[in-house]
Every structure is written in structure tokens, then in C-alpha cells.
Amino acid sequence: MMAGMNFDAKLEAIQAALREAGHDGWLFYDHHHRDPIAGRILGLDEQAHITRRWYYFVPASGEPRKLVHRIEQGRLDTLPGAKTQYSSWQELAAGLEAMLANARTVAMQYSPNNAIMYISMVDAGTVEFLRGLGKQIVSSADLVSQFEAVLTEEQVASHTAAQVAIDAILAEGWKEIGRRLQPSTHSAGHSSTLTEFDHVVWLSEAMRREGLVWESGPNVSVNANSSDSHYEPTAERSAPIRDGDFILIDIWGRMQKPGSIFYDITWTGVVGREPTERETLVFNTVRDARDAAIAAVERAFAKGQAIRGFEADDAARGVICAAGFGEFFTHRTGHNIAQELHGSGAHLDNLETHDERRLLPNTCFSVEPGIYLPEFGVRSEVDMLTAPGKAWVTGRIQRELVRI
């Protein structure tokens, strides 16, 4: 991500990374903003009107080159490099052949067999054409992680600010449920009308007061609804929260300033009672799986050893499978976190994808295994930050089910 780095410095870093990887260059290509990754890495205007294809080739050494349509010839003028223009499809083909004349191995936002779909931005036809020119197209996945997911000190500080605010809001949110459900808070003979959506509104208002912004959510789900890992209550479709319920809260946000980084957590609890033996077993299994993944990452960074996303997922998934709940763990263990809630860096995943990308120093990601039974679901989510020689959980860690 390298926020604040001027493009000359970023270009130098990209070329060094290309040489280290053994690639001849990195070809960025976009049409109608189909590749937001390219736009972010190159620092282009996200609102620019792009109706024609553009190409920007960064060789491992030497000057970058541009290929743009004549009616949108200024689209890459903020970037260094020689510019060639085209109008016809014949000129486009000739321009690409000339641009890549001295390159054989070319990185693009492409993933073999769509294995890492988060990176697959380039259409098959473009890959086919370039292969027809004799080019070997390789995945830019590791390069994207390096230039999209690596955080600055300021961005790490923004994550910490969001963490402090959201941890406090969630802790108070559990208390608010208890206050709302106390008999003294409503008239005799009338039960509380607190719903999942009511509490979403309460949490949202609390986050706005703290200067946080976020995507859809947060999520509050009770009983069987907590078995749907992406359940979203609405004003029209929302279950009541009552004594005896099992409840899951997933909450995320970032500070309202450019370049800030998300904080994303999930906790679970019970209302007005002690957990059942089944609930305790499931929670403890999820907790232990979470801690196994955390420990695997901590050990690898402490020893200076590479650890890849699928390996951290294996550590958590192994615990859940050994306990007999493997079929109920239906998603990856974690996702990269950056300016986007689900960032472009390595995910902790050996289920939905076989993510072989390294967990890099100075990146952030969630660790959130879950078990989703028909009657209730448990997810325990924390975030981790990494640095050379160490990795750590950034906020509060749930050790037992919350009692409301």
C-alpha cells in the first residue's frame, strides 16, 4: 500500500520487487474500472471516466511505457514513461507487441485456474492475446500483497484508534442489551421490544459518535440466525432479543480519514442464563482453533520463517475437524484487512481457495474460525498485525461466552 510514498519511490520499489521475483515486468491494464487494484497501486483517479482500454508496463529495469486511446490520451499523464496512442484494434495489437517486445515473463492481475479469485482482474481474451505474442503471463498476487497490503506506521496507528473505539463500544453494547431487557425498563406486563436491528442501530450510532465509518452492518444475530455467517437484520426482517437467547455480534469500522485501516471483531454470548454444555463445547472449540492459528503465526514470525495463508487456516481447521465439527466450519479462517475490510493481501484460507501467498510483515488480517450448527453458530474473531520478528493480536480476546 505504501501510503504517502511518491510514485518515483514506488516505481523503484516495484522494479526491485520484479527483479527479485525474476519477472521481466508488470503490465497494468484497465477498462471501465474493472481493475481497482491497478488504479490504487498506480495512484489513479478512482472517479475518472474510462471508456477505453489503457495499458501501463513497468519493466524490471528502465522506463515504463504507456498505451492509451486517442480519445482518452491523458488518462495516464500523472505517471512517468513514454506514451503511445492507438485508435484501431490493429494499432492496439501493434502497440502491445511493441510495448512488450523485450519482455517474456509478464506479471498481471491474473491467477492460474482462478485459484486466488481476488486477483483475477484480467479477462481471458487479453491473456490469450498476450500468450499469442509469446509472453508468459504470471500472477501478480505476491506483488499485489506487497504494494496493497503492507501498511505504514500511520495506517497501523489508525487501526489501533479504531480498535480502542470499537472494543469500548462492543463492551458497552453488551451492557446496553442487559439494560434494555431489565423488567424495570418497561411497563409492568409488557415485554421488551428490543430486536436485532434495534441493536444494530445502537451500535451504529455509537460508532458514528466516535468518527468511524464502515460498510454494511454491523451484524447482530440471535439463535438460529447466528448460524448464517453473513446474516443481516433489517428493519423489516429482524428477530427479537429475549432472555434465554444466544447472540452473536460482528462489528467493524475504520476512522474517517484517508488511508485508515479497518478493525473487525466478532463476539458471542447468552442472555439471562448460563451457557448450555453444547454451547460451551462449541465456543471452546472455536476459541482453541482461533488460538491455534494465532500461535502458528506468532511462532513463524518469531523465528523469521515464512508462513502462507493456507498454513494458518490449516492450524485452525485442524482443531475443529479433530473435535468432529469440520463440516460446520464453512468459510476461511481469516481475511486480509486494509483500507478495504476484505483487503487484497493474503487470506487465511485453505477451504475456499488454496492461498499460497505469504503473510507479510507490516500487514493486518483477521483470525475468525466458526462452527455453525442449525440451532446456533459461534465465531470468534480477532485481528492480528505483523512486523519483522513478531506478530500479535491487536485488541481484546474473548476467552468465554459473554453473560448478559
mmCIF file with all atom_site columns, all heavy atoms in Angstrom, residues 195-197 220 225 228 230-240:
data_model
loop_
_atom_site.group_PDB
_atom_site.id
_atom_site.type_symbol
_atom_site.label_atom_id
_atom_site.label_alt_id
_atom_site.label_comp_id
_atom_site.label_asym_id
_atom_site.label_entity_id
_atom_site.label_seq_id
_atom_site.pdbx_PDB_ins_code
_atom_site.Cartn_x
_atom_site.Cartn_y
_atom_site.Cartn_z
_atom_site.occupancy
_atom_site.B_iso_or_equiv
_atom_site.pdbx_formal_charge
_atom_site.auth_seq_id
_atom_site.auth_comp_id
_atom_site.auth_asym_id
_atom_site.auth_atom_id
_atom_site.pdbx_PDB_model_num
ATOM 1   N N   . THR A 1 195 ? -34.956 -5.600  19.313 1.00 0.00 ? 195 THR A N   1
ATOM 2   C CA  . THR A 1 195 ? -34.716 -6.525  18.207 1.00 0.00 ? 195 THR A CA  1
ATOM 3   C C   . THR A 1 195 ? -33.242 -6.477  17.800 1.00 0.00 ? 195 THR A C   1
ATOM 4   O O   . THR A 1 195 ? -32.491 -5.598  18.215 1.00 0.00 ? 195 THR A O   1
ATOM 5   C CB  . THR A 1 195 ? -35.566 -6.173  16.980 1.00 0.00 ? 195 THR A CB  1
ATOM 6   O OG1 . THR A 1 195 ? -35.102 -4.927  16.437 1.00 0.00 ? 195 THR A OG1 1
ATOM 7   C CG2 . THR A 1 195 ? -37.041 -6.068  17.329 1.00 0.00 ? 195 THR A CG2 1
ATOM 8   N N   . GLU A 1 196 ? -32.874 -7.440  16.950 1.00 0.00 ? 196 GLU A N   1
ATOM 9   C CA  . GLU A 1 196 ? -31.523 -7.434  16.388 1.00 0.00 ? 196 GLU A CA  1
ATOM 10  C C   . GLU A 1 196 ? -31.245 -6.092  15.710 1.00 0.00 ? 196 GLU A C   1
ATOM 11  O O   . GLU A 1 196 ? -30.176 -5.495  15.894 1.00 0.00 ? 196 GLU A O   1
ATOM 12  C CB  . GLU A 1 196 ? -31.379 -8.555  15.356 1.00 0.00 ? 196 GLU A CB  1
ATOM 13  C CG  . GLU A 1 196 ? -31.526 -9.958  15.901 1.00 0.00 ? 196 GLU A CG  1
ATOM 14  C CD  . GLU A 1 196 ? -31.742 -10.967 14.794 1.00 0.00 ? 196 GLU A CD  1
ATOM 15  O OE1 . GLU A 1 196 ? -32.396 -10.619 13.775 1.00 0.00 ? 196 GLU A OE1 1
ATOM 16  O OE2 . GLU A 1 196 ? -31.266 -12.113 14.940 1.00 0.00 ? 196 GLU A OE2 1
ATOM 17  N N   . PHE A 1 197 ? -32.197 -5.631  14.911 1.00 0.00 ? 197 PHE A N   1
ATOM 18  C CA  . PHE A 1 197 ? -31.982 -4.388  14.169 1.00 0.00 ? 197 PHE A CA  1
ATOM 19  C C   . PHE A 1 197 ? -31.901 -3.186  15.100 1.00 0.00 ? 197 PHE A C   1
ATOM 20  O O   . PHE A 1 197 ? -31.119 -2.256  14.850 1.00 0.00 ? 197 PHE A O   1
ATOM 21  C CB  . PHE A 1 197 ? -33.089 -4.180  13.136 1.00 0.00 ? 197 PHE A CB  1
ATOM 22  C CG  . PHE A 1 197 ? -32.837 -2.991  12.245 1.00 0.00 ? 197 PHE A CG  1
ATOM 23  C CD1 . PHE A 1 197 ? -31.852 -3.042  11.261 1.00 0.00 ? 197 PHE A CD1 1
ATOM 24  C CD2 . PHE A 1 197 ? -33.567 -1.826  12.402 1.00 0.00 ? 197 PHE A CD2 1
ATOM 25  C CE1 . PHE A 1 197 ? -31.610 -1.945  10.446 1.00 0.00 ? 197 PHE A CE1 1
ATOM 26  C CE2 . PHE A 1 197 ? -33.335 -0.725  11.587 1.00 0.00 ? 197 PHE A CE2 1
ATOM 27  C CZ  . PHE A 1 197 ? -32.355 -0.784  10.607 1.00 0.00 ? 197 PHE A CZ  1
ATOM 28  N N   . VAL A 1 220 ? -25.974 -8.240  14.114 1.00 0.00 ? 220 VAL A N   1
ATOM 29  C CA  . VAL A 1 220 ? -26.432 -8.761  15.402 1.00 0.00 ? 220 VAL A CA  1
ATOM 30  C C   . VAL A 1 220 ? -27.396 -9.891  15.082 1.00 0.00 ? 220 VAL A C   1
ATOM 31  O O   . VAL A 1 220 ? -28.362 -9.691  14.344 1.00 0.00 ? 220 VAL A O   1
ATOM 32  C CB  . VAL A 1 220 ? -27.145 -7.672  16.227 1.00 0.00 ? 220 VAL A CB  1
ATOM 33  C CG1 . VAL A 1 220 ? -27.688 -8.256  17.523 1.00 0.00 ? 220 VAL A CG1 1
ATOM 34  C CG2 . VAL A 1 220 ? -26.207 -6.498  16.500 1.00 0.00 ? 220 VAL A CG2 1
ATOM 35  N N   . ASN A 1 225 ? -30.271 -17.562 13.698 1.00 0.00 ? 225 ASN A N   1
ATOM 36  C CA  . ASN A 1 225 ? -29.729 -16.554 12.786 1.00 0.00 ? 225 ASN A CA  1
ATOM 37  C C   . ASN A 1 225 ? -28.210 -16.471 12.871 1.00 0.00 ? 225 ASN A C   1
ATOM 38  O O   . ASN A 1 225 ? -27.539 -16.108 11.896 1.00 0.00 ? 225 ASN A O   1
ATOM 39  C CB  . ASN A 1 225 ? -30.330 -15.181 13.081 1.00 0.00 ? 225 ASN A CB  1
ATOM 40  C CG  . ASN A 1 225 ? -31.788 -15.099 12.688 1.00 0.00 ? 225 ASN A CG  1
ATOM 41  O OD1 . ASN A 1 225 ? -32.264 -15.878 11.854 1.00 0.00 ? 225 ASN A OD1 1
ATOM 42  N ND2 . ASN A 1 225 ? -32.517 -14.168 13.284 1.00 0.00 ? 225 ASN A ND2 1
ATOM 43  N N   . ASP A 1 228 ? -26.054 -18.296 10.286 1.00 0.00 ? 228 ASP A N   1
ATOM 44  C CA  . ASP A 1 228 ? -25.812 -17.702 8.971  1.00 0.00 ? 228 ASP A CA  1
ATOM 45  C C   . ASP A 1 228 ? -24.684 -16.689 9.147  1.00 0.00 ? 228 ASP A C   1
ATOM 46  O O   . ASP A 1 228 ? -24.874 -15.618 9.710  1.00 0.00 ? 228 ASP A O   1
ATOM 47  C CB  . ASP A 1 228 ? -27.084 -17.019 8.470  1.00 0.00 ? 228 ASP A CB  1
ATOM 48  C CG  . ASP A 1 228 ? -26.909 -16.358 7.113  1.00 0.00 ? 228 ASP A CG  1
ATOM 49  O OD1 . ASP A 1 228 ? -25.763 -16.262 6.623  1.00 0.00 ? 228 ASP A OD1 1
ATOM 50  O OD2 . ASP A 1 228 ? -27.926 -15.910 6.544  1.00 0.00 ? 228 ASP A OD2 1
ATOM 51  N N   . HIS A 1 230 ? -23.228 -14.630 7.323  1.00 0.00 ? 230 HIS A N   1
ATOM 52  C CA  . HIS A 1 230 ? -23.400 -13.295 6.740  1.00 0.00 ? 230 HIS A CA  1
ATOM 53  C C   . HIS A 1 230 ? -24.849 -12.825 6.860  1.00 0.00 ? 230 HIS A C   1
ATOM 54  O O   . HIS A 1 230 ? -25.360 -12.109 5.994  1.00 0.00 ? 230 HIS A O   1
ATOM 55  C CB  . HIS A 1 230 ? -22.946 -13.283 5.277  1.00 0.00 ? 230 HIS A CB  1
ATOM 56  C CG  . HIS A 1 230 ? -21.475 -13.085 5.113  1.00 0.00 ? 230 HIS A CG  1
ATOM 57  N ND1 . HIS A 1 230 ? -20.867 -12.895 3.898  1.00 0.00 ? 230 HIS A ND1 1
ATOM 58  C CD2 . HIS A 1 230 ? -20.477 -13.029 6.026  1.00 0.00 ? 230 HIS A CD2 1
ATOM 59  C CE1 . HIS A 1 230 ? -19.565 -12.752 4.062  1.00 0.00 ? 230 HIS A CE1 1
ATOM 60  N NE2 . HIS A 1 230 ? -19.303 -12.831 5.351  1.00 0.00 ? 230 HIS A NE2 1
ATOM 61  N N   . TYR A 1 231 ? -25.477 -13.196 7.952  1.00 0.00 ? 231 TYR A N   1
ATOM 62  C CA  . TYR A 1 231 ? -26.837 -12.726 8.229  1.00 0.00 ? 231 TYR A CA  1
ATOM 63  C C   . TYR A 1 231 ? -26.848 -11.214 8.413  1.00 0.00 ? 231 TYR A C   1
ATOM 64  O O   . TYR A 1 231 ? -25.932 -10.637 9.011  1.00 0.00 ? 231 TYR A O   1
ATOM 65  C CB  . TYR A 1 231 ? -27.350 -13.407 9.501  1.00 0.00 ? 231 TYR A CB  1
ATOM 66  C CG  . TYR A 1 231 ? -28.675 -12.881 10.009 1.00 0.00 ? 231 TYR A CG  1
ATOM 67  C CD1 . TYR A 1 231 ? -29.856 -13.174 9.352  1.00 0.00 ? 231 TYR A CD1 1
ATOM 68  C CD2 . TYR A 1 231 ? -28.737 -12.100 11.163 1.00 0.00 ? 231 TYR A CD2 1
ATOM 69  C CE1 . TYR A 1 231 ? -31.078 -12.707 9.826  1.00 0.00 ? 231 TYR A CE1 1
ATOM 70  C CE2 . TYR A 1 231 ? -29.946 -11.628 11.643 1.00 0.00 ? 231 TYR A CE2 1
ATOM 71  C CZ  . TYR A 1 231 ? -31.115 -11.939 10.966 1.00 0.00 ? 231 TYR A CZ  1
ATOM 72  O OH  . TYR A 1 231 ? -32.313 -11.471 11.446 1.00 0.00 ? 231 TYR A OH  1
ATOM 73  N N   . GLU A 1 232 ? -27.881 -10.556 7.895  1.00 0.00 ? 232 GLU A N   1
ATOM 74  C CA  . GLU A 1 232 ? -28.002 -9.108  8.040  1.00 0.00 ? 232 GLU A CA  1
ATOM 75  C C   . GLU A 1 232 ? -29.436 -8.761  8.430  1.00 0.00 ? 232 GLU A C   1
ATOM 76  O O   . GLU A 1 232 ? -30.341 -8.812  7.602  1.00 0.00 ? 232 GLU A O   1
ATOM 77  C CB  . GLU A 1 232 ? -27.644 -8.390  6.732  1.00 0.00 ? 232 GLU A CB  1
ATOM 78  C CG  . GLU A 1 232 ? -26.183 -8.506  6.343  1.00 0.00 ? 232 GLU A CG  1
ATOM 79  C CD  . GLU A 1 232 ? -25.841 -7.650  5.134  1.00 0.00 ? 232 GLU A CD  1
ATOM 80  O OE1 . GLU A 1 232 ? -26.427 -6.555  4.997  1.00 0.00 ? 232 GLU A OE1 1
ATOM 81  O OE2 . GLU A 1 232 ? -25.004 -8.073  4.325  1.00 0.00 ? 232 GLU A OE2 1
ATOM 82  N N   . PRO A 1 233 ? -29.672 -8.411  9.690  1.00 0.00 ? 233 PRO A N   1
ATOM 83  C CA  . PRO A 1 233 ? -31.018 -7.976  10.076 1.00 0.00 ? 233 PRO A CA  1
ATOM 84  C C   . PRO A 1 233 ? -31.359 -6.639  9.436  1.00 0.00 ? 233 PRO A C   1
ATOM 85  O O   . PRO A 1 233 ? -30.483 -5.807  9.197  1.00 0.00 ? 233 PRO A O   1
ATOM 86  C CB  . PRO A 1 233 ? -30.925 -7.870  11.601 1.00 0.00 ? 233 PRO A CB  1
ATOM 87  C CG  . PRO A 1 233 ? -29.483 -7.606  11.874 1.00 0.00 ? 233 PRO A CG  1
ATOM 88  C CD  . PRO A 1 233 ? -28.725 -8.339  10.817 1.00 0.00 ? 233 PRO A CD  1
ATOM 89  N N   . THR A 1 234 ? -32.613 -6.449  9.142  1.00 0.00 ? 234 THR A N   1
ATOM 90  C CA  . THR A 1 234 ? -33.097 -5.182  8.604  1.00 0.00 ? 234 THR A CA  1
ATOM 91  C C   . THR A 1 234 ? -34.296 -4.733  9.425  1.00 0.00 ? 234 THR A C   1
ATOM 92  O O   . THR A 1 234 ? -34.819 -5.487  10.247 1.00 0.00 ? 234 THR A O   1
ATOM 93  C CB  . THR A 1 234 ? -33.521 -5.332  7.139  1.00 0.00 ? 234 THR A CB  1
ATOM 94  O OG1 . THR A 1 234 ? -34.659 -6.225  7.061  1.00 0.00 ? 234 THR A OG1 1
ATOM 95  C CG2 . THR A 1 234 ? -32.385 -5.892  6.286  1.00 0.00 ? 234 THR A CG2 1
ATOM 96  N N   . ALA A 1 235 ? -34.755 -3.520  9.168  1.00 0.00 ? 235 ALA A N   1
ATOM 97  C CA  . ALA A 1 235 ? -35.933 -3.022  9.883  1.00 0.00 ? 235 ALA A CA  1
ATOM 98  C C   . ALA A 1 235 ? -37.146 -3.899  9.598  1.00 0.00 ? 235 ALA A C   1
ATOM 99  O O   . ALA A 1 235 ? -38.019 -4.062  10.458 1.00 0.00 ? 235 ALA A O   1
ATOM 100 C CB  . ALA A 1 235 ? -36.215 -1.577  9.469  1.00 0.00 ? 235 ALA A CB  1
ATOM 101 N N   . GLU A 1 236 ? -37.187 -4.483  8.396  1.00 0.00 ? 236 GLU A N   1
ATOM 102 C CA  . GLU A 1 236 ? -38.333 -5.304  8.008  1.00 0.00 ? 236 GLU A CA  1
ATOM 103 C C   . GLU A 1 236 ? -38.175 -6.765  8.421  1.00 0.00 ? 236 GLU A C   1
ATOM 104 O O   . GLU A 1 236 ? -39.173 -7.472  8.580  1.00 0.00 ? 236 GLU A O   1
ATOM 105 C CB  . GLU A 1 236 ? -38.533 -5.250  6.485  1.00 0.00 ? 236 GLU A CB  1
ATOM 106 C CG  . GLU A 1 236 ? -38.875 -3.878  5.918  1.00 0.00 ? 236 GLU A CG  1
ATOM 107 C CD  . GLU A 1 236 ? -37.685 -2.932  5.892  1.00 0.00 ? 236 GLU A CD  1
ATOM 108 O OE1 . GLU A 1 236 ? -36.525 -3.405  5.777  1.00 0.00 ? 236 GLU A OE1 1
ATOM 109 O OE2 . GLU A 1 236 ? -37.915 -1.703  6.014  1.00 0.00 ? 236 GLU A OE2 1
ATOM 110 N N   . ARG A 1 237 ? -36.941 -7.211  8.588  1.00 0.00 ? 237 ARG A N   1
ATOM 111 C CA  . ARG A 1 237 ? -36.694 -8.629  8.895  1.00 0.00 ? 237 ARG A CA  1
ATOM 112 C C   . ARG A 1 237 ? -35.671 -8.703  10.017 1.00 0.00 ? 237 ARG A C   1
ATOM 113 O O   . ARG A 1 237 ? -34.467 -8.607  9.797  1.00 0.00 ? 237 ARG A O   1
ATOM 114 C CB  . ARG A 1 237 ? -36.175 -9.352  7.655  1.00 0.00 ? 237 ARG A CB  1
ATOM 115 C CG  . ARG A 1 237 ? -35.959 -10.849 7.849  1.00 0.00 ? 237 ARG A CG  1
ATOM 116 C CD  . ARG A 1 237 ? -35.512 -11.489 6.544  1.00 0.00 ? 237 ARG A CD  1
ATOM 117 N NE  . ARG A 1 237 ? -34.179 -11.037 6.155  1.00 0.00 ? 237 ARG A NE  1
ATOM 118 C CZ  . ARG A 1 237 ? -33.051 -11.662 6.467  1.00 0.00 ? 237 ARG A CZ  1
ATOM 119 N NH1 . ARG A 1 237 ? -33.091 -12.769 7.194  1.00 0.00 ? 237 ARG A NH1 1
ATOM 120 N NH2 . ARG A 1 237 ? -31.892 -11.202 6.059  1.00 0.00 ? 237 ARG A NH2 1
ATOM 121 N N   . SER A 1 238 ? -36.186 -8.848  11.222 1.00 0.00 ? 238 SER A N   1
ATOM 122 C CA  . SER A 1 238 ? -35.310 -8.825  12.400 1.00 0.00 ? 238 SER A CA  1
ATOM 123 C C   . SER A 1 238 ? -35.972 -9.585  13.536 1.00 0.00 ? 238 SER A C   1
ATOM 124 O O   . SER A 1 238 ? -37.162 -9.400  13.810 1.00 0.00 ? 238 SER A O   1
ATOM 125 C CB  . SER A 1 238 ? -35.053 -7.372  12.813 1.00 0.00 ? 238 SER A CB  1
ATOM 126 O OG  . SER A 1 238 ? -34.209 -7.311  13.927 1.00 0.00 ? 238 SER A OG  1
ATOM 127 N N   . ALA A 1 239 ? -35.198 -10.429 14.205 1.00 0.00 ? 239 ALA A N   1
ATOM 128 C CA  . ALA A 1 239 ? -35.739 -11.214 15.311 1.00 0.00 ? 239 ALA A CA  1
ATOM 129 C C   . ALA A 1 239 ? -35.644 -10.432 16.613 1.00 0.00 ? 239 ALA A C   1
ATOM 130 O O   . ALA A 1 239 ? -34.725 -9.615  16.800 1.00 0.00 ? 239 ALA A O   1
ATOM 131 C CB  . ALA A 1 239 ? -34.966 -12.523 15.444 1.00 0.00 ? 239 ALA A CB  1
ATOM 132 N N   . PRO A 1 240 ? -36.566 -10.662 17.543 1.00 0.00 ? 240 PRO A N   1
ATOM 133 C CA  . PRO A 1 240 ? -36.457 -10.046 18.872 1.00 0.00 ? 240 PRO A CA  1
ATOM 134 C C   . PRO A 1 240 ? -35.318 -10.667 19.665 1.00 0.00 ? 240 PRO A C   1
ATOM 135 O O   . PRO A 1 240 ? -34.934 -11.818 19.427 1.00 0.00 ? 240 PRO A O   1
ATOM 136 C CB  . PRO A 1 240 ? -37.807 -10.351 19.516 1.00 0.00 ? 240 PRO A CB  1
ATOM 137 C CG  . PRO A 1 240 ? -38.284 -11.596 18.829 1.00 0.00 ? 240 PRO A CG  1
ATOM 138 C CD  . PRO A 1 240 ? -37.771 -11.506 17.422 1.00 0.00 ? 240 PRO A CD  1
#
